């Protein structure tokens, strides 16, 4: 494939898709002024409230915050003084290590607070007991767990879905999925057969596979797999399939650019985390050098870190993980900053629990959402009822549940089997 038409088509259409005015380069004399305007606009987004809670006229006093556990499954339950309840399921892969932070550093702060003031409370709990020193997954995963329970509570009281609490318009009542997989350690030939099997099962029209060796300083796993697999995936799925590749920070900048140039030949649609996630300058260098969109941000813990990556055009696509980044409110600010620069938001989804459901509600409210979103299969170990959605992929799309809060009901017997976690 001699030209990467998808990148040019996407970029030319993106401004219309996001419904916002992207900044464009001006003359040399206007560069300084334009950068100042961009910075002011980004800062306004960081300062603006996200949640739409006008329907809630009276305080929602938080009476209890509980973390419940059964084996390695964690449920957060919040109750108001008036008896309303919100539930969430955590990122269990992380919470089994992090629950003491929830119980000792987060839970006590919110007792007696008005849940409607969630955005102000986010700023305050960050400082409480010097929690900012824990910034990254250690702090943000437990806090996101609580936020999703709070949004479930507020959504039920307001009669709105989680997505409708985030935006006036539900932009995406259905989510088109891309099939994500990880077959590092297998040959290119073995990987492609497994990739195809998963894609056919979900009827997905997009896929993402792993390249490199994961934070491996240019080592492939096994050797030669990546360069054999890049053309093989395009050959197997044809020119119409949307194809993403994720290196998980496998490369130095020079090697990332070399691998990206191979992807260019086969019209790949984005290149995720080409270098280690905290190599900001190197990420920008790769983004400037390759002719396919560069995506990243799943490990980014800071709103101002995202501000820099967006302002400096170090990423073409932003990927906050709504668990790793501390919830939907903070992630929505990232999506809105990206929209100002004409960039899509394709959030990362971390595995286990009900992460896919929270991702769908978030994406439903994002005007500049990417065309496809991550799918790792549904968690059938958590019994729930969803009257408004089958929660299955049909024709490569999943319907976002409607109804108040999360829009699904966890089996009360399942919840009752969990026990309160003590400090």
């Amino acid at each position: 494939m001699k030209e990467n038409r998808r990148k040019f088509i996407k970029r030319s259409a993106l401004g219309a898709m996001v419904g916002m005015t992207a900044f464009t380069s001006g003359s040399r004399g206007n560069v300084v002024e334009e950068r100042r305007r961009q910075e002011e606009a980004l800062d306004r987004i960081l300062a603006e409230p996200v949640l739409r809670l006008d329907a809630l006229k009276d305080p929602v006093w938080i009476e209890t915050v509980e973390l419940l556990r059964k084996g390695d499954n964690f449920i957060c339950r919040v109750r108001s003084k008036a008896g309303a309840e919100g539930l969430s399921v955590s990122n269990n892969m992380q919470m089994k290590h992090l629950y003491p932070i929830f119980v000792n550093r987060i839970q006590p702060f919110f007792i007696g607070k008005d849940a409607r003031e969630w955005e102000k409370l986010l700023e305050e709990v960050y400082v409480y007991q010097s929690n900012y020193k824990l910034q990254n997954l250690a702090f943000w995963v437990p806090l996101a767990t609580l936020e999703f329970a709070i949004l479930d509570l507020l959504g039920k009281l307001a009669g709105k879905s989680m997505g409708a609490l985030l935006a006036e318009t539900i932009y995406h009542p259905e989510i088109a999925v891309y099939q994500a997989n990880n077959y590092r350690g297998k040959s290119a030939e073995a990987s492609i057969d497994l990739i195809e099997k998963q894609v056919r099962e979900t009827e997905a029209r997009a896929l993402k596979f792993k390249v490199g060796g994961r934070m491996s300083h240019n080592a492939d796993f096994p050797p030669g797999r990546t360069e054999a697999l890049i053309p093989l995936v395009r050959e197997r799925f044809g020119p119409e399939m949307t194809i993403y590749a994720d290196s998980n920070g496998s490369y130095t900048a020079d090697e990332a650019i070399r691998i990206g140039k191979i992807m260019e030949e086969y019209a790949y649609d984005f290149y995720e985390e080409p270098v280690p996630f905290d190599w900001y300058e190197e990420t920008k260098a790769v983004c400037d050098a390759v002719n396919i969109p560069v995506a990243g941000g799943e490990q980014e813990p800071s709103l101002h870190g995202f501000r820099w990556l967006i302002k400096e055009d170090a990423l073409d696509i932003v990927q906050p993980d709504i668990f790793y980044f501390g919830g939907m409110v903070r992630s929505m600010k990232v999506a809105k900053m990206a929209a100002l620069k004409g960039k899509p938001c394709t959030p990362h989804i971390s595995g286990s629990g009900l992460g896919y459901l929270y991702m769908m509600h978030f994406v439903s409210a994002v005007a500049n959402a990417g065309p496809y979103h991550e799918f790792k299969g549904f968690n059938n170990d958590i019994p729930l009822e969803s009257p408004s959605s089958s929660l299955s992929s049909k024709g490569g799309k999943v319907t976002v549940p409607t109804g108040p809060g999360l829009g699904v009901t966890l089996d009360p017997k399942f919840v009752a089997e969990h026990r309160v976690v003590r400090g």
Side-chain angles (χ1 to χ4, degrees), residues 72-74 88-97 141 145 148 321-324 348-359 374-382 384:
D72 285 339
N73 191 74
F74 291 85
S88 72
V89 178
S90 186
N91 178 318
N92 296 319
M93 295 172 65
Q94 303 297 333
M95 189 60 97
K96 65 184 179 182
H97 305 294
V141 169
T145 300
F148 299 154
D321 181 299
I322 57 176
F323 264 113
Y324 296 170
H348 179 263
I349 173 176
S350 44
S352 82
L354 297 181
Y356 66 93
L357 272 176
Y358 301 123
M359 179 274 291
E374 191 161 12
F375 182 77
K376 294 178 178 176
F378 294 112
N379 188 334
N380 296 318
D381 295 329
I382 299 175
L384 52 80

Side-chain angles (χ1 to χ4, degrees), residues 25 27 48 89 103 162 183 204 241 273 282-283 308 325 405 407:
S25 298
S27 64
E48 290 170 354
V89 178
V103 173
M162 286 184 172
Y183 297 119
M241 177 65 81
E273 279 193 349
E282 291 86 348
T283 299
W308 187 92
F325 196 60

Side-chain angles (χ1 to χ4, degrees), residues 336-392:
K336 289 182 176 181
M337 286 193 292
L340 280 171
K341 293 277 285 183
K343 303 175 188 293
C345 176
T346 302
H348 179 263
I349 173 176
S350 44
S352 82
L354 297 181
Y356 66 93
L357 272 176
Y358 301 123
M359 179 274 291
M360 289 197 296
H361 278 288
F362 174 72
V363 169
S364 75
V366 175
N368 55 315
Y372 298 98
H373 296 275
E374 191 161 12
F375 182 77
K376 294 178 178 176
F378 294 112
N379 188 334
N380 296 318
D381 295 329
I382 299 175
L384 52 80
E385 290 186 359
S386 176
S388 58
S389 172
S390 67
L391 301 181
S392 60

Side-chain angles (χ1 to χ4, degrees), residues 181-184 208-219 225-226 245-252 256 263 270-278 295-299 319 324 348-349 374 376:
N181 53 72
N182 179 11
Y183 297 119
R184 285 193 180 103
K208 184 175 80 176
F209 69 99
K210 304 289 189 177
V211 296
R214 182 184 293 273
M215 299 289 286
S216 60
H217 303 288
N218 298 333
R225 174 181 179 272
T226 291
D246 182 5
S247 102
N248 294 112
S250 291
Y251 305 120
T252 60
M263 292 180 194
F270 75 54
Y271 184 10
E272 183 174 339
E273 279 193 349
V275 298
F277 58 87
D278 54 352
E298 91 178 63
Q299 307 290 351
Q319 294 181 295
Y324 296 170
H348 179 263
I349 173 176
E374 191 161 12
K376 294 178 178 176

Side-chain angles (χ1 to χ4, degrees), residues 296-338:
E298 91 178 63
Q299 307 290 351
E300 178 56 50
S302 164
L303 276 166
H304 274 262
F306 265 118
R307 180 184 182 276
W308 187 92
L309 290 164
I310 291 165
K311 178 173 67 74
E312 299 297 329
D313 293 316
L315 293 173
D316 296 307
I317 298 166
V318 296
Q319 294 181 295
D321 181 299
I322 57 176
F323 264 113
Y324 296 170
F325 196 60
M328 298 187 197
V329 169
R330 284 165 48 83
S331 298
M332 184 58 75
K333 290 178 182 286
V334 173
K336 289 182 176 181
M337 286 193 292

Side-chain angles (χ1 to χ4, degrees), residues 52-56 152-161 165 404-405:
R52 301 174 60 252
L53 301 174
D54 293 344
L56 300 178
D152 187 45
L153 169 71
L154 294 174
K156 289 172 180 174
L157 292 173
K160 295 180 178 181
S161 69
L165 292 177

Side-chain angles (χ1 to χ4, degrees), residues 34 69 96 127 148 159 164 169-170 187 243 256 267 401 411:
E34 182 176 317
R69 180 175 189 175
K96 65 184 179 182
V127 179
F148 299 154
T169 301
I170 295 298
S187 69
I243 299 176
D411 184 341

